[in-house]
Structures are given as C-alpha cells and as structure tokens.
Amino acid sequence: MNARGEALLWLTQRMSAAVLAFCVLVHLVTVIVAVQGGLSAAEILGRTRGNVAGLVFYTTFVMAAAVHAPIGLRATLGEWLGWRGASRDIALVLFAVLLAGLGLRAVAGVFGGAA
Amino acid sequence: MTVNGVARWTCRTHVDAVAKGGALEVAPLGHLPVIRDLVTDMAPFFDKWARARGQFQGARSRHDDFARIAPDDPQRRQVDAGIECIGCGVCYASCDLVSWNPAYLGPAALNRAWTLACDARDVATRERLRAVGGDAGCHACHTQMGCTERCPKKLSPTAGIAGLKRALARAALKGTL
C-alpha cells in the first residue's frame, strides 16, 4: 500500500480508537449502574427494545470496532506471519464485514422491535 | 556492541556501570550481519537512511544569501535533539520491529527523515514523506520506545516517528502526498 493509504489507515485507526474509548466507558458505566438492583434478561430486553438512542449508540460502537480491529490485525499478521500484500487486505476487509455483520445482528436483536 | 545482552555505545560505557556480578559478555550489535567477531556490517543500516531520503536537498546555490532560521523557530526547535544523532546503530539494534519486519527503516533513519522534514531549507519533503510512509516506514512503529530508552545520546527517535505520522496524516488529508 502507498504512503497515502497507510497514512489514512493510521488516521482511521486513531479516530476509531477515540470513538471506542468513549463507547467502552459509557457501556461499562451503563452496565454497572443498570445491574445494581439485579436484572433478568427479560427486564433488560424490555428496556432496550425500541430504544433509538441505544440503537444509534451501539451501532456506532460496532462500526468503530469493525473498523479498528482489522487495521490492528493487519500489522499483527504482517509481523507474526509475514502475511502482507493484497491477499491480506482482502481477507481483512472480509473480516471487517463479518465483524460488522455479527455486531449489527446483535444490536438488532437487543434494540430492534417494539418497546 | 551488545554488552550483557543490551546494545550500547561501548567506547563510552564504563564497565562498572554494566558488569553484573563481575561478569561481562560482549557480542556484536544486533539486527546486523556479522562480518567477524564483534564487527558488524553497517551497510544495511545506512542503506535505510538513503531509502528514507536522508539526504538534504536544498534549492539555493552558493550565489544565494544564507537561509535565515531564527534560533527560536518552532519547527527548528522540534529537532534540536534529533540532529545530534551519531549514527551508532544502538536504537536499530534495540528495536523489536526490525526483527519482526526486516524491511522496516528503523528509528535512526526515521529520525534523520524527521530532522529534514523540519528543515525549512529542504525542498524534498513530499518525496521524503512518501518514502517513510509505507508498510516498512513510520506507521510500522508500535511506540514501544526501545530506541528512546537505549539511545546513548538521550534522543527520542520515537518522538520524531510520531512527528512523521502527524505530518503524513496532514499531507494525506490535504492530498499533497
């Protein structure tokens, strides 16, 4: 990949890291606060389903993770396995799509549907 | 050379500062081909300086006036330390990235590129940023800071590499790469 592509990948990873740092913090605080009194799965789903703010937040979270993880994995594959070049990048694009797909499916399951 | 497993500027290192239990093990500098005994071939190290476009390229001739750079010029001050590199190769031997990615330019070559990128007289910044931005360039650095920890001149190649990353990001966004 050329210098511009590498620079943009680096920038994308830093930006997605900033989004993830915020999302992880909000997620952990929410979980800790929400379960203080004890919650069943049905009670959690009762609160989350149809919650638009939650849907937007966790969709952002999933997309940031789907962008961030493959870029980091790209360096790991190059250094540990010596796997570089177009085949690695194609495999990682597919990995990003897989992460996004699985994550969005989970988000749809938790936040989709009527309240 | 490597002294008790650590790359050092050997001719300026006192034995009593590094000897463990009265024992001293010396070995050639790491990550470089060994010619014989403790002698390494430094050619791959300096070849990478050339690949990182470590050559100054000015636009003035001897007929022009001197370039005037103020001592407190912010761009110049960024490389006050970096220009003191002595090219000893200690940072290169201390960098794990060099062993993981043999094509990686290494801290010293990137530090040199950074000092030139901050040199207002140099006119090859665009080509230099292209040269240091590839898969084996500054973006490969994990900021483990082995180079900065071991540099005998107390320089921070890590800071220069971070500067190159920022400069590349700006150039990529502006479309000037």
Side-chain angles (χ1 to χ4, degrees):
Chain A
M1 186 176 285
N2 62 24
R4 183 162 192 264
E6 292 280 348
L8 291 177
L9 273 184
W10 177 79
L11 200 58
T12 306
Q13 199 187 24
R14 291 301 177 277
M15 288 164 60
S16 58
V19 173
L20 282 175
F22 171 73
C23 289
V24 167
L25 198 65
V26 171
H27 173 72
L28 289 178
V29 170
T30 306
V31 167
I32 290 167
V33 171
V35 300
Q36 285 295 311
L39 273 177
S40 68
E43 285 172 324
I44 291 172
L45 288 176
R47 292 180 186 187
T48 58
R49 285 201 167 138
N51 185 327
V52 177
L55 183 75
V56 171
F57 175 78
Y58 279 96
T59 299
T60 307
F61 197 160
V62 164
M63 294 313 290
V67 167
H68 186 82
I71 301 175
L73 196 57
R74 186 171 177 270
T76 309
L77 291 174
E79 287 162 15
W80 288 25
L81 304 179
W83 187 11
R84 297 184 170 87
S87 64
R88 174 186 62 173
D89 292 343
I90 291 168
L92 287 170
V93 168
L94 295 175
F95 179 62
V97 171
L98 178 71
L99 278 182
L102 291 174
L104 292 177
R105 183 168 170 264
V107 170
V110 175
F111 294 96
Chain B
M1 290 193 290
T2 306
V3 183
N4 282 354
V6 176
R8 290 189 183 279
W9 190 16
T10 321
C11 59
R12 296 288 183 93
T13 303
H14 287 199
V15 168
D16 55 4
V18 294
K20 292 172 186 167
L24 204 63
E25 183 187 88
V26 291
L29 205 54
H31 301 157
L32 289 164
V34 176
I35 296 173
R36 187 170 176 176
D37 299 332
L38 298 172
V39 182
T40 50
D41 179 5
M42 298 291 283
F45 173 71
F46 287 111
D47 284 348
K48 288 181 177 179
W49 286 48
R51 273 182 27 216
R53 290 203 61 124
Q55 313 89 340
F56 171 77
Q57 191 175 326
R60 290 168 181 249
S61 74
R62 68 181 65 185
H63 306 296
D64 295 317
D65 193 10
F66 287 107
R68 301 189 188 282
I69 312 289
D72 58 350
D73 178 77
Q75 196 181 19
R76 171 62 179 75
R77 292 194 69 174
Q78 286 192 97
V79 292
D80 273 354
I83 57 171
E84 300 296 335
C85 173
I86 55 171
C88 64
V90 164
C91 60
Y92 188 79
S94 304
C95 176
D96 287 334
L97 254 298
V98 178
S99 59
W100 297 336
N101 182 0
Y104 177 51
L105 293 169
L110 292 172
N111 174 71
R112 171 65 180 163
W114 173 238
T115 61
L116 291 173
C118 291
D119 191 329
R121 302 165 304 162
D122 189 277
V123 293
T125 298
R126 186 180 177 189
E127 292 77 12
R128 188 169 298 108
L129 287 179
R130 280 184 183 166
V132 301
D135 211 16
C138 62
H139 294 116
C141 173
H142 288 258
T143 321
Q144 291 177 331
M145 302 183 76
C147 55
T148 299
E149 185 183 325
R150 299 276 163 77
C151 175
K153 298 287 285 180
K154 308 294 182 196
L155 311 181
S156 177
T158 312
I161 293 169
L164 286 174
K165 288 176 180 174
R166 289 194 300 272
L168 268 155
R170 277 195 295 271
L173 288 175
K174 287 180 185 170
T176 56
L177 263 183

